């Protein structure tokens, strides 16, 4: 069963904005459709554009619990779905009497209390509103994609010893990807797709001002202009939106009211985290 969380596209925009996530019409429309159609939403784009934040904001806006599966190389079914608590099972077997039938012990040790539920199973079993975030899906191995396909197509999990567990209330599902590798066509077919990029200057300025109002209009404008100039360089790691916000906090903390060359040079470590990027920015932006 799927219950819609949003009434309209405008409702998405309004409630995400109240949760501190300023969005545009296209993003709000895709989120509305993913929720209304009950389909997972695959959000792709460079690191630091607010993919994870979008899922968090939707959870906050809908009063849902956020359950996060962080993907990494080597992630397996036991970490993503469920595993048995072997230590506890062993203790139960050791505590059994010699004349206990194996069938009785078997049914005992494969009971609910010995099951360790991981994010996917936890999200499927919840009866309350839930947002399931499968973060950095592209970092997981192809086998995990097969597992996700199975779970996201039917929203059910089969545990051989316990039977099939189906979702009574479907979670809103977000998958994020930095596109370090192509995800399978089969997985993409299951999802709606949203490509997130760095926001336009006026929206980024609005984001900075909403998070750090004391930075002021003029300084926020200078900051966003400088961040965009940095992103235009061929850097190892472009500044994220979170780093723009950190930079605004930094300038306020230092009592600066203008972002001149000295201020940029002194605080560049807040937005650039590689020595080669510092060198390139210093050279290109003529900060010496």
């Amino acid at each position: 069963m799927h219950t819609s969380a949003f009434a309209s596209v405008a409702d998405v925009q309004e409630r995400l904005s109240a949760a501190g996530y300023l969005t545009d019409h296209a993003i709000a429309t895709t989120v509305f459709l993913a929720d209304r159609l009950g389909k997972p939403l695959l959000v792709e784009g460079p690191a630091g554009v607010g993919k994870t934040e979008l899922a968090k904001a939707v959870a906050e806006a809908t009063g849902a619990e956020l359950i996060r599966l962080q993907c990494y190389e080597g992630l397996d079914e036991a970490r993503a779905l469920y595993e048995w608590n072997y230590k506890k099972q062993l203790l139960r077997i050791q505590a059994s009497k010699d004349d206990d039938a194996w069938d009785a012990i078997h049914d005992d040790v494969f009971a609910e209390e010995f099951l360790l539920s991981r994010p996917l199973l936890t999200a499927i079993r919840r009866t309350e509103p839930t947002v399931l975030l499968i973060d950095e899906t592209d970092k997981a191995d192809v086998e995990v994609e097969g597992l996700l396909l199975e779970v996201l197509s039917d929203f059910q999990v089969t545990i051989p010893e316990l039977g099939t567990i189906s979702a009574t209330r479907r979670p809103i599902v977000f998958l994020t990807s930095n596109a370090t590798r192509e995800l399978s066509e089969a997985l993409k077919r299951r999802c709606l797709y949203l490509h997130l990029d760095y926001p336009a200057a006026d929206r980024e300025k609005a984001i900075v001002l909403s998070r750090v109002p004391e930075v002021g209009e003029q300084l926020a404008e200078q900051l966003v202009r400088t961040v965009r100039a940095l992103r235009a360089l061929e850097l190892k790691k472009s500044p994220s939106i979170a780093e723009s916000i950190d930079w605004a906090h930094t300038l306020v903390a230092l009592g600066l009211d203008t972002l001149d060359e000295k201020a940029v040079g002194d605080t560049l470590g807040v937005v650039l985290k590689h020595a080669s990027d510092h060198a390139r920015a210093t050279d290109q932006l003529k900060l010496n």
Side-chain angles (χ1 to χ4, degrees), residues 6-16 23-33 36:
F6 295 104
S8 64
V9 174
D11 183 40
V12 174
Q13 232 168 333
E14 213 170 288
R15 282 159 69 185
L16 287 184
T23 179
D24 60 22
H25 189 74
I27 296 170
T29 303
T30 315
V31 169
F32 172 74
L33 288 172
R36 185 53 61 98

Side-chain angles (χ1 to χ4, degrees), residues 77 81-82 121 150 156-165:
E77 200 166 312
L81 201 50
Y82 72 89
L121 181 60
E150 207 178 316
Q156 61 179 36
V157 171
T158 301
I159 300 174
E161 300 84 356
L162 293 180
T164 299
I165 296 168

Side-chain angles (χ1 to χ4, degrees), residues 3-280:
T3 321
S4 293
F6 295 104
S8 64
V9 174
D11 183 40
V12 174
Q13 232 168 333
E14 213 170 288
R15 282 159 69 185
L16 287 184
S17 169
Y21 193 96
L22 300 189
T23 179
D24 60 22
H25 189 74
I27 296 170
T29 303
T30 315
V31 169
F32 172 74
L33 288 172
D35 171 50
R36 185 53 61 98
L37 302 173
K39 281 175 113 41
L41 177 55
L42 170 60
V43 189
E44 210 168 53
V49 292
K51 301 185 295 293
T52 302
E53 288 305 313
L54 177 59
K56 288 180 178 174
V58 167
E60 192 178 323
T62 56
E65 174 92 20
L66 179 80
I67 291 179
R68 181 177 183 166
L69 172 64
Q70 178 62 51
C71 296
Y72 54 86
E73 213 176 310
L75 174 72
D76 60 3
E77 200 166 312
R79 292 271 161 242
L81 201 50
Y82 72 89
E83 64 182 321
W84 291 103
N85 187 336
Y86 300 119
K87 284 181 184 165
K88 210 170 165 190
Q89 285 176 320
L90 211 55
L91 288 172
R92 166 66 188 87
I93 292 166
Q94 284 168 347
S96 63
K97 299 184 201 69
D98 294 340
D99 56 354
D100 283 355
W102 165 244
D103 287 350
I105 298 169
H106 176 278
D107 290 349
D108 251 14
V109 296
F110 287 110
E112 183 66 47
E113 63 172 301
F114 297 95
L115 188 70
L116 296 172
S117 184
R118 301 301 182 203
L120 293 179
L121 181 60
T122 303
I124 278 182
R125 297 174 93 179
R126 275 181 57 82
T127 52
E128 299 301 306
T130 306
V131 169
L132 170 62
L133 167 61
I134 301 165
D135 220 356
E136 301 193 287
T137 313
D138 51 328
K139 285 193 176 165
D141 306 322
V142 180
E143 295 74 37
V144 173
E145 269 188 58
L147 172 67
L148 291 176
L149 264 177
E150 207 178 316
V151 172
L152 298 180
S153 46
D154 306 318
F155 284 93
Q156 61 179 36
V157 171
T158 301
I159 300 174
E161 300 84 356
L162 293 180
T164 299
I165 296 168
S166 300
T168 46
R169 182 178 188 140
R170 283 193 173 196
I172 301 176
V173 183
F174 286 86
L175 297 93
T176 75
S177 164
N178 296 337
T180 54
R181 73 169 175 86
E182 272 294 318
L183 297 176
S184 72
E185 288 303 323
L187 185 62
K188 285 184 165 180
R189 264 201 310 277
R190 293 271 180 284
C191 305
L192 295 188
Y193 180 80
L194 174 65
H195 184 268
L196 271 194
D197 215 331
Y198 295 108
D202 53 350
R203 190 155 70 89
E204 186 156 17
K205 182 177 140 190
I207 291 168
V208 168
L209 283 168
S210 79
R211 295 294 182 92
V212 196
E214 57 275 33
V215 74
E217 188 93 14
Q218 198 181 343
L219 189 52
E221 188 144 333
Q222 289 180 317
L223 184 149
V224 167
R225 214 175 26 239
T226 310
V227 164
R228 290 173 72 80
L230 290 171
R231 285 185 193 140
L233 306 176
E234 280 179 33
L235 301 176
K236 250 181 154 175
K237 167 71 179 73
S238 286
S240 67
I241 300 168
E243 283 161 337
S244 298
I245 293 165
D246 287 346
W247 209 5
H249 280 300
T250 303
L251 300 175
V252 169
L254 292 173
L256 297 170
D257 51 13
T258 182
L259 193 56
D260 55 20
E261 283 184 20
K262 185 180 183 327
V264 172
D266 288 348
T267 58
L268 205 53
V270 177
V271 280
L272 299 183
K273 313 290 167 71
H274 291 277
S276 58
D277 287 351
H278 273 249
R280 174 158 288 184

